[in-house]
């Protein structure tokens, strides 16, 4: 501030001096003018400097690899955790490594079928053997081969985890199972009757119940044996019940498949890269967290029952794209075969691959 004058300086590439004669400008007016000038200069600098920075922020970061939509369908009971949550965890890790964001949404087979019929098709679909519509949107998987998920000569899906059937007993010798003391746990989406036939259980009229009720009847002593899935292994383990379990490894339809649905070239490549990551040994080694088995690796170490189950690769299964009518016929044939009906046994063989 020089004598008799009010001065204001702005620092930029050069110093600019504004002077207002004090004689013509009272102190309060001078201060107000100086403040107004300061605000105007600051605003001018902001508009001059920041537009380029804001435009830079709006551009996708260099590591951004896009967004994929993955729909997950629980076609059968899992193990001890959520398969959808497992996929979300894997997707989060994958995004950190690749920059590709995989958005996982849970659907039922019915809601997914309705959405796809309406033209809404995901990039990836995780499904089981109650979703025949998957064959209509699945693209051939380059570099993959799986006998139960083939159509038109191409493999359309590959299992990222699987289950298994077991004969459970509460301390009894597995060889003592009969139609009178054994219950089959099924909700129509699993094929316990087929597992019982292929497992060599003796002929008879076996009772079938919803999985949770069948499990409760075993624990209560109403039945001594139960044919059911890996879910009941974890139910019994969590309950602290003393039990025995024998894997019925000749047959399984408990595959949780993944298929790629997008036909867009870049998106297809991203989907295939995510599937590769999901099926990598490191990621598959996490499956015990949700009580599921791997279709590719041994992930249970020396845990006797589950390690035995994963080494018994099923020799037979059914098509991943079995229609609702065909699945009903499969289950009916298995029930007849269990009763000793030869025609039922022959019909059952027609469904097995």
């Amino acid at each position: 501030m020089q004598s008799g004058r009010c001065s204001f300086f702005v620092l930029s590439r050069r110093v600019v001096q504004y002077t207002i004669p004090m004689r013509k400008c009272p102190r309060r007016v001078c201060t107000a003018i100086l403040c107004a000038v300061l605000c105007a200069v600051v605003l001018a600098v902001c508009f001059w400097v920041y537009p380029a920075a804001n435009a830079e922020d709006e551009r996708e970061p260099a590591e951004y690899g896009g967004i994929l939509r993955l729909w997950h369908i629980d076609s059968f009971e899992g193990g001890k955790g959520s398969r959808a949550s497992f996929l979300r965890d894997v997707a989060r890790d994958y995004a950190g490594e690749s920059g590709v964001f995989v958005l996982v949404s849970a659907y039922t087979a019915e809601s997914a079928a309705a959405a796809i019929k309406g033209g809404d098709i995901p990039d990836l679909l995780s499904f089981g053997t109650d979703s025949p519509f998957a064959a209509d949107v699945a693209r051939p998987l380059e570099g993959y081969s799986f006998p139960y998920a083939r159509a038109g000569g191409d493999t359309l899906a590959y299992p990222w985890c699987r289950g298994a059937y077991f004969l459970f007993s509460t301390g009894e010798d597995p060889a003592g199972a009969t139609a009178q003391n054994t219950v089959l746990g099924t909700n129509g989406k699993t094929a316990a009757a087929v597992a019982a036939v292929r497992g060599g259980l003796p002929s008879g009229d076996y009772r079938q119940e919803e999985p949770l009720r069948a499990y409760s009847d075993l624990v209560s002593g109403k039945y001594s044996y139960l044919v059911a899935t890996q879910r009941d292994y974890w139910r019994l383990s969590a309950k602290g019940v003393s039990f025995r379990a024998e894997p019925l490894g000749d047959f399984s339809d408990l595959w949780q498949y993944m298929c790629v649905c997008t036909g867009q070239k870049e998106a297809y490549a991203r989907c295939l890269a995510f599937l590769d990551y999901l099926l990598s040994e490191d990621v598959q080694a996490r499956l015990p967290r949700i009580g599921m088995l791997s279709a590719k690796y041994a992930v249970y170490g020396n845990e006797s029952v589950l390690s035995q189950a994963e080494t018994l690769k099923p020799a037979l299964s059914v098509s991943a794209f079995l229609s609702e009518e065909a699945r009903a016929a499969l289950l009916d044939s298995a029930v007849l075969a269990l009763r000793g009906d030869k025609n039922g046994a022959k019909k059952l063989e027609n469904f097995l691959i």
Side-chain angles (χ1 to χ4, degrees):
M1 180 82 67
Q2 297 179 354
S3 177
R5 292 183 179 274
C6 173
S7 301
F8 173 66
F9 298 88
V10 176
L11 184 62
S12 64
R13 292 185 179 179
R14 66 175 183 270
V15 176
V16 181
Q17 185 181 54
Y18 297 86
T19 62
I20 302 174
M22 291 297 292
R23 291 191 304 273
K24 298 181 180 179
C25 182
R27 183 177 298 276
R28 290 183 179 179
V29 176
C30 180
T31 301
I33 293 173
L34 289 175
C35 289
V37 172
L38 176 62
C39 289
V41 173
V42 170
L43 287 172
V45 171
C46 287
F47 281 107
W48 176 56
V49 172
Y50 284 98
N54 290 337
E56 183 68 26
D57 290 343
E58 290 173 359
R59 288 201 296 266
E60 294 176 355
E63 67 276 10
Y64 178 72
I67 296 176
L68 301 174
R69 294 191 306 149
L70 191 166
W71 294 359
H72 171 77
I73 300 169
D74 276 336
S75 298
F76 56 89
E77 285 191 305
K80 57 180 179 179
S82 166
R83 280 164 284 175
S85 294
F86 181 89
L87 286 173
R88 291 189 183 102
D89 289 343
V90 173
R92 183 191 61 240
D93 295 342
Y94 184 65
E97 293 188 16
S98 68
V100 176
F101 296 88
V102 182
L103 305 180
V104 180
S105 302
Y107 278 74
T108 63
E110 293 75 17
S111 64
I116 289 173
K117 186 177 180 179
D120 186 12
I121 299 175
D123 298 298
L124 292 153
L125 182 65
S126 168
F127 67 99
T129 52
D130 68 339
S131 304
F133 57 86
D136 298 328
V137 293
R139 303 281 176 167
L141 284 181
E142 296 177 5
Y144 285 93
S145 179
F146 197 70
Y148 314 130
R150 293 181 66 83
D154 296 310
T155 292
L156 302 184
Y158 197 91
W160 64 268
C161 72
R162 69 180 181 96
Y165 289 101
F166 298 84
L167 175 63
F168 298 98
S169 63
T170 52
E172 302 287 341
D173 184 344
T178 66
Q180 289 70 42
N181 61 15
T182 304
V183 62
L184 311 183
T186 181
N187 57 4
K189 293 187 176 183
T190 55
V194 181
V197 172
R198 299 302 309 181
L201 269 68
S203 299
D205 192 4
Y206 287 79
R207 181 171 177 79
Q208 299 187 72
E209 295 181 346
E210 287 289 324
L212 190 56
R213 180 173 179 180
Y215 153 81
S216 298
D217 283 348
L218 176 71
V219 172
S220 68
K222 184 175 180 179
Y223 292 96
S224 299
Y225 299 90
L226 165 67
V227 176
T229 73
Q230 73 291 329
R231 181 68 184 97
D232 290 280
Y233 173 88
W234 295 108
R235 283 192 180 109
L236 291 163
S237 298
K239 189 75 173 178
V241 176
S242 177
F243 70 95
R244 297 175 64 174
E246 178 181 327
L248 300 176
D250 188 61
F251 165 85
S252 181
D253 60 341
L254 304 174
W255 308 101
Q256 187 71 48
Y257 290 103
M258 185 74 75
C259 69
V260 176
C261 305
T262 178
Q264 202 277 330
K265 186 176 180 180
E266 290 185 6
Y268 177 88
R270 292 169 183 167
C271 289
L272 210 58
F274 175 74
L275 180 58
D276 291 343
Y277 180 79
L278 178 62
L279 295 175
S280 66
E281 189 170 5
D282 287 345
V283 174
Q284 292 285 291
R286 305 180 204 172
L287 287 175
R289 299 180 190 177
I290 56 171
M292 299 300 291
L293 287 74
S294 171
K296 293 188 68 176
Y297 303 101
V299 298
Y300 279 93
N302 295 320
E303 290 188 41
S304 58
V305 176
L306 294 178
S307 61
Q308 184 182 358
E310 66 184 357
T311 56
L312 292 174
K313 302 295 184 183
L316 296 170
S317 188
V318 294
S319 170
F321 312 112
L322 208 61
S323 69
E324 186 176 345
E325 295 78 11
R327 185 164 191 82
L330 163 76
L331 300 180
D332 289 343
S333 298
V335 170
L336 291 174
L338 265 180
R339 292 173 181 166
D341 185 283
K342 293 182 179 181
N343 287 330
K346 288 180 180 179
K347 290 180 181 179
L348 176 61
E349 292 298 322
N350 293 332
F351 289 102
L352 301 180
I353 302 172

